[in-house]
């Protein structure tokens, strides 16, 4: 029986090559889309899954009133956490990675992803220890642990335990080599413990200092820990400050703000954290859902397309079914045969989908910035599930539909005039038009939003501006007057850079245009606290970035007061503080009195998802902030940019920094990366749009072909009676135009609602206009007419005698 089914299947493939190919291709494209989404989904959900402690490990987050929540907390919490009976282990850690070189026996390796943590780190992140042991790996400030890959780079096949290396200008003894079992929110190449001074409250009493990681005994009791920490913040900050200021705690809380504490489990850190608290960052859950949703929609479209073509093709196979029934085949035999054919087609489609995925995976990985591979038992189980669902959905309906053919009617040759199943196929076609409309309109709206962001006036000009990473020898960060030494060295570098051909301007500032710095600082006006970005800049920074001073003046190197007590504020800060006559008005940054000398036009520093924040600008020397300088901005002239960069690199590597590789980025590209996720969504939408249109056109082509084939006798009679070609074309195409319009109308509400929800991500966004809808309908209608009219025109040119000679 199976052999008979296979022979019939091969026969059908040979006699319907084009439609069989379209069927398999359409289904394989839908399955490939789901496979791509699954690979990404599985990878994002695999973070920390290997970690047996993931449900007991928490990061402590704190939020001060309307300021963004941060992962850095005060050191003064430690003593209170040590007395909490539910806290098993406390680990203070940096929230970011450092970069440095490692030296060993004259060999130097530049290493990124170095993290500073306390000694119990491995009890929270139990990496696989290859050499050494987890207990003594970070026991003191002289200990260091290396990843397996870094150990091989430095020591080759030698056992490195006990060997000494130089890193971050200090000597360390290697006490452990580890391997990370899977994706982790903290995945460093080097781990060291230099926390002793940082966790000393007498030396580090700031509010937002270090990440706190806790391992708790009972996760159901973390609310008690949260309440305790909020009380500590209240007592340590609000109550103590109110005593010093001679006011009540309520008055002080109204001025300073309210502290709210969150504790997030490691198991939810990757996709559901409210902050970028871990060095490996957050995944984009919305993007993940969009990708999964669209890929499932495309698979549904592919299956609908398959059902449509299978039921349409059933007309040609009606006599085959009738004869088999006469010869004794039961209804269940017919159903099994057609399900078997669906199994084979689905199998071919999955194999073709895997080929498509394997060939496209390098581009997909580049698109996501990942290293995904088609491996893992979970993935293959999901693939089998897709296979089963496809067979059940795509195979059962056509099989039942075909098995219900009336034998007598079929053998008389009257089946082609029957209306059976036509309503269903037309409904499926309308559904395909609706999905195609959704993608065409949606991709246009997404494209318009990204174009708007790309061409929006950001308030600064970052083209031709280099952001060069600044590293100075460790001697500049030792001893007294660190800020003074660093600023003096920067000024020397600035003078030398200005002499290079093609350099237009040089300056610096404690600001970045990559969207990562959302910190706010306390700014006081008339004894009222305002939370703003307080940014130190050098002379000429506003001019270099083409940031406009709307009122008052810029910093002037000829005025000594501008390096001591002068500030500029942006428009948002002016509105926030409601200062009527701002010039020469006094405000305070922390406890430092400053005088406003100018108003700066609002400009974006953060992602376009976020509104422009209030900003206050001071000269770097005014608050002695030069120690925090880590970038030099260089404006280049438009001609010979490549030559200028080469000259700067040569100067940098010989005169500024001989140890670190020269690193730079263009500021406009830095800012573009703040909405890179949405650019990826635009590219994804555009790609899926092409796939959806292709699948929908496959179905339309096949359905129109079968529908017109079914009406060939009608066409022949009309032509015999003198009907003109244009009349026939109109008659054959009008139903598809109607289906196109109905599908388009069905798509209107979902696309408008969902794209509006997507646009809510942006503080700066477009309003949805009629244009994407008109364009979408026009494109869909033109494509429909091209397919249908081409098939209809071909039908009108057929010799009518072959359809009339049996009448």
């Amino acid at each position: 029986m199976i052999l008979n089914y296979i022979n019939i299947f091969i026969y059908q493939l040979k006699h319907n090559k084009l439609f069989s190919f379209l069927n398999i291709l359409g289904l394989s494209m839908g399955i490939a889309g789901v496979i791509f989404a699954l690979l990404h989904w599985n990878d994002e959900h695999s973070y920390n899954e290997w970690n047996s402690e993931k449900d007991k490990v928490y990061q402590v987050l704190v939020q001060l009133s309307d300021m963004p929540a941060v992962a850095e907390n005060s050191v003064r919490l430690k003593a209170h956490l040590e007395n909490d009976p539910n806290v098993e282990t406390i680990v203070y850690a940096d929230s970011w990675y450092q970069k440095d070189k490692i030296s060993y026996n004259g060999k130097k390796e530049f290493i990124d992803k170095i993290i500073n943590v306390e000694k119990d780190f491995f009890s929270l992140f139990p990496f696989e220890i290859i050499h050494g042991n987890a207990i003594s790996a970070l026991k003191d400030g002289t200990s260091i642990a290396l990843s397996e890959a870094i150990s091989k780079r430095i020591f080759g096949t030698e056992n490195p335990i006990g060997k000494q290396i130089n890193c971050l200008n200090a000597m360390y003894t290697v006490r452990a080599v580890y391997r990370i079992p899977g994706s982790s929110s903290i995945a460093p190449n080097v781990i060291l413990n230099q926390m002793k001074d940082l966790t000393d409250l007498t030396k580090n009493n700031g509010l937002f200092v270090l990440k706190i990681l806790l391992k708790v005994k009972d996760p159901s009791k973390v609310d008690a820990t949260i309440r305790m920490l909020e009380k500590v913040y209240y007592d340590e900050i609000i109550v103590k400050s109110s005593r010093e200021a001679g006011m009540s705690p309520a008055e002080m809380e109204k001025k300073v703000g309210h502290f709210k504490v969150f504790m997030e489990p490691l198991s939810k850190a990757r996709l559901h954290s409210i902050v970028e608290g871990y060095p490996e960052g957050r995944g984009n859950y919305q993007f993940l859902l969009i990708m999964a949703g669209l890929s499932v929609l495309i698979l549904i479209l592919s299956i609908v397309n398959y059902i449509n073509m299978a039921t349409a093709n059933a007309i040609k196979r009606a006599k085959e079914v009738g004869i088999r029934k006469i010869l004794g085949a039961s209804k269940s035999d017919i159903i099994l045969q057609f399900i078997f054919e669906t199994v084979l087609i689905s199998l071919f489609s999955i194999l073709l989908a895997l080929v498509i995925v394997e060939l496209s995976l390098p581009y997909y990985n580049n698109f996501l910035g990942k290293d995904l591979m088609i491996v893992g038992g979970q993935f293959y189980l999901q693939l089998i599930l897709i296979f089963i669902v496809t067979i059940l959905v795509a195979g059962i309906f056509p099989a039942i539909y075909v098995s219900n053919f009336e034998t007598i009617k079929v053998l008389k040759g009257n089946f082609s005039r029957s209306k059976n199943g036509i309503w269903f196929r037309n409904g499926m076609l309308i559904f395909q038009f609706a999905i195609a409309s959704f993608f065409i309109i949606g991709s246009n709206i997404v494209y318009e939003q990204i174009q708007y962001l790309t061409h929006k006036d950001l308030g600064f000009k970052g083209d031709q501006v280099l952001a060069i990473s600044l590293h100075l020898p460790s001697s500049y960060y030792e001893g007294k007057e660190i800020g003074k030494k660093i600023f003096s060295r920067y000024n020397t570098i600035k003078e030398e850079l200005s002499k290079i051909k093609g350099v237009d301007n040089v300056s610096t500032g404690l600001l970045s245009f990559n969207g990562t710095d959302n910190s706010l600082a306390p700014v006081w006006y008339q004894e009222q606290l305002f939370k703003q970005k307080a940014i130190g800049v050098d002379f000429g920074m506003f001019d270099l970035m083409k940031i406009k001073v709307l009122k008052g003046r810029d910093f002037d190197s000829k005025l000594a007061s501008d390096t001591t007590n002068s500030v500029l504020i942006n428009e948002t800060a002016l509105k926030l503080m409601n200062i009527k006559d701002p010039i020469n008005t006094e405000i305070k940054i922390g406890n430092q009195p400053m005088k406003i000398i100018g108003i700066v036009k609002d400009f974006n520093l953060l992602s376009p998802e976020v509104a422009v924040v209030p900003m206050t600008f001071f000269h770097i020397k005014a608050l002695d902030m030069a120690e925090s300088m880590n970038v030099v901005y260089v404006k280049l002239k438009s001609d010979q940019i490549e030559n200028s960069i080469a000259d700067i690199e040569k100067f940098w590597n010989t005169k500024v920094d001989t140890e670190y590789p020269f690193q730079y980025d263009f500021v406009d590209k830095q800012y573009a990366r703040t909405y890179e996720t949405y650019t990826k969504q635009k590219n994804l939408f555009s790609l899926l749009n092409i796939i959806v249109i292709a699948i929908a056109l496959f179905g339309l082509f096949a359905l129109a072909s079968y529908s017109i084939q079914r009406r060939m006798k009608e066409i022949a009679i009309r032509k015999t009676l003198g009907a003109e070609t244009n009349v026939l074309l109109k008659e054959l195409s009008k139903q598809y135009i109607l289906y196109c319009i109905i599908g388009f109308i069905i798509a209107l509400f979902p696309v408008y609602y969902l794209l509006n929800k997507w646009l809510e991500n942006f503080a700066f966004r477009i309003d949805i206009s009629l244009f994407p809808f008109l364009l979408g309908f026009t494109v869909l209608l033109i494509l429909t007419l091209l397919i249908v009219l081409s098939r209809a025109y071909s039908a009108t040119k057929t010799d009518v005698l072959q359809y009339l000679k049996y009448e």
Side-chain angles (χ1 to χ4, degrees), residues 426-445 689 696 735-753 768-782 784:
N426 291 342
M428 293 292 97
L429 185 60
I430 289 171
F431 179 69
Q432 287 179 306
F433 277 128
I435 294 178
S437 299
F438 177 89
F439 273 88
I440 295 172
I441 298 167
S443 62
N444 270 296
I445 293 172
N689 189 30
Q735 64 173 327
Y736 295 101
I737 296 173
L738 177 62
Y739 300 154
C740 177
I741 293 171
I742 295 172
F744 175 79
I745 292 171
I746 291 172
L748 289 181
F749 174 75
V751 74
Y752 183 81
Y753 175 77
I768 297 179
S769 64
L770 282 175
F771 177 75
F773 296 92
L774 295 175
L775 180 63
F777 178 71
T778 302
V779 169
L780 192 64
L781 186 61
I782 289 173
T784 301

Side-chain angles (χ1 to χ4, degrees), residues 192-301:
L192 48 82
N193 177 8
Q194 285 291 336
M195 281 287 162
K196 186 175 181 181
D197 288 342
L198 293 176
T199 55
D200 186 340
L201 187 56
T202 62
K203 298 178 181 179
N204 201 350
N205 61 358
L207 275 183
F208 309 115
V209 182
L210 293 169
K211 170 186 282 300
I212 299 178
L213 295 170
L214 302 178
K215 182 179 175 182
V216 301
K217 297 174 184 175
D218 186 353
S220 66
K221 296 180 180 179
V222 295
D223 286 343
T225 303
I226 290 172
R227 290 193 297 271
M228 180 271 291
L229 292 176
E230 288 179 345
K231 186 176 187 305
V232 172
Y233 270 116
Y234 181 80
D235 292 342
E236 293 283 337
I237 309 303
I238 304 299
V239 174
K240 286 185 178 180
S241 299
S242 65
R243 287 173 186 163
E244 293 170 2
M247 61 178 68
S248 70
E251 290 175 314
M252 180 57 68
E253 188 172 33
K254 186 177 179 182
K255 285 191 172 188
V256 173
H258 172 71
F259 287 92
K260 185 175 183 181
V261 173
F262 305 88
M263 285 181 62
E264 286 187 344
L266 180 62
S267 57
K268 296 183 179 179
R270 177 65 180 180
L271 293 173
H272 302 288
S273 179
I274 60 173
V275 300
E276 294 274 357
Y278 287 96
E280 294 294 323
R282 286 180 294 178
N284 190 315
Y285 191 58
Q286 184 195 57
F287 180 52
L288 205 59
L289 289 178
I290 289 173
M291 197 171 200
L294 295 182
S295 63
V296 169
L297 198 59
I298 291 177
L299 180 61
I300 292 171
L301 179 67

Side-chain angles (χ1 to χ4, degrees), residues 129-178:
I129 304 298
I130 300 171
H131 298 294
N133 64 81
I135 296 173
S136 62
L138 302 168
K139 66 179 182 179
D140 54 36
T142 66
S143 304
I144 195 167
L146 308 178
S147 70
E148 183 180 28
I150 298 302
S151 176
K152 286 181 179 178
R153 277 174 57 184
I154 299 171
F155 300 102
T157 57
E158 287 183 71
N159 186 339
I161 302 301
K163 291 183 168 46
Q164 289 194 320
I165 60 175
N166 186 287
C167 181
L168 296 173
N169 302 304
M171 294 301 296
Y172 294 92
T173 301
V174 179
R175 301 197 189 277
V177 175
Y178 60 86

Side-chain angles (χ1 to χ4, degrees), residues 174 228 267 375 396 444 493 513 580 743 770 792 796:
V174 179
M228 180 271 291
S267 57
V375 292
I396 288 178
N444 270 296
I493 294 170
F513 295 86
K580 302 300 181 185
L770 282 175
T796 61

Side-chain angles (χ1 to χ4, degrees), residues 234-479:
Y234 181 80
D235 292 342
E236 293 283 337
I237 309 303
I238 304 299
V239 174
K240 286 185 178 180
S241 299
S242 65
R243 287 173 186 163
E244 293 170 2
M247 61 178 68
S248 70
E251 290 175 314
M252 180 57 68
E253 188 172 33
K254 186 177 179 182
K255 285 191 172 188
V256 173
H258 172 71
F259 287 92
K260 185 175 183 181
V261 173
F262 305 88
M263 285 181 62
E264 286 187 344
L266 180 62
S267 57
K268 296 183 179 179
R270 177 65 180 180
L271 293 173
H272 302 288
S273 179
I274 60 173
V275 300
E276 294 274 357
Y278 287 96
E280 294 294 323
R282 286 180 294 178
N284 190 315
Y285 191 58
Q286 184 195 57
F287 180 52
L288 205 59
L289 289 178
I290 289 173
M291 197 171 200
L294 295 182
S295 63
V296 169
L297 198 59
I298 291 177
L299 180 61
I300 292 171
L301 179 67
S302 302
I303 292 173
V304 166
N305 184 63
Y306 176 85
I307 294 172
N308 235 346
M309 290 202 277
T311 53
N313 190 39
I315 296 170
K316 283 189 172 183
R317 302 185 65 178
K319 287 187 178 179
E320 172 200 329
V321 174
I323 292 170
R324 291 198 67 213
K325 283 189 173 184
I326 290 293
L327 294 175
S330 66
K331 186 175 180 180
S332 60
D333 290 334
I334 304 296
I335 291 174
L336 283 174
Q337 178 195 339
F338 277 85
I339 289 179
F340 178 76
E341 291 183 6
T342 303
V343 169
L344 293 179
I345 288 176
S346 299
L347 188 59
F348 291 154
S349 298
I350 283 182
L351 291 175
L352 180 57
L354 288 171
V355 171
I356 293 171
V357 171
E358 189 64 38
L359 293 175
S360 307
L361 202 53
Y363 305 101
Y364 186 63
N365 280 328
N366 185 56
F367 172 70
L368 293 176
K370 288 183 174 289
D371 188 23
L372 304 177
M373 293 182 290
I374 306 178
V375 292
Q378 180 189 16
F379 169 74
Y380 290 115
L381 286 174
Q382 291 167 334
L383 195 62
I384 291 170
L385 181 62
I386 293 171
F387 181 60
I388 293 170
V389 169
T390 302
I391 291 167
L392 290 176
V393 178
I396 288 178
F397 178 81
I400 294 174
Y401 171 68
V402 170
S403 68
N404 284 325
F405 287 168
E406 297 177 31
T407 308
I408 302 299
K409 183 184 288 188
V410 165
L411 294 178
K412 283 183 175 180
N414 295 325
F415 181 79
S416 62
R417 297 189 181 97
S418 171
K419 299 296 182 183
N420 278 341
I422 293 177
W423 65 270
F424 184 79
R425 290 197 300 276
N426 291 342
M428 293 292 97
L429 185 60
I430 289 171
F431 179 69
Q432 287 179 306
F433 277 128
I435 294 178
S437 299
F438 177 89
F439 273 88
I440 295 172
I441 298 167
S443 62
N444 270 296
I445 293 172
V446 173
Y447 176 80
E448 284 188 2
Q449 172 64 19
I450 300 304
Q451 286 297 104
Y452 168 75
L453 296 179
T454 303
H455 297 98
K456 179 184 177 295
D457 180 13
L458 302 172
F460 67 86
K461 298 291 184 183
D463 54 314
Q464 298 170 215
V465 177
L466 298 183
I468 305 174
S469 298
L470 177 65
H471 300 277
L472 295 176
S474 58
S475 58
Y476 283 89
Y477 300 90
E478 298 170 352

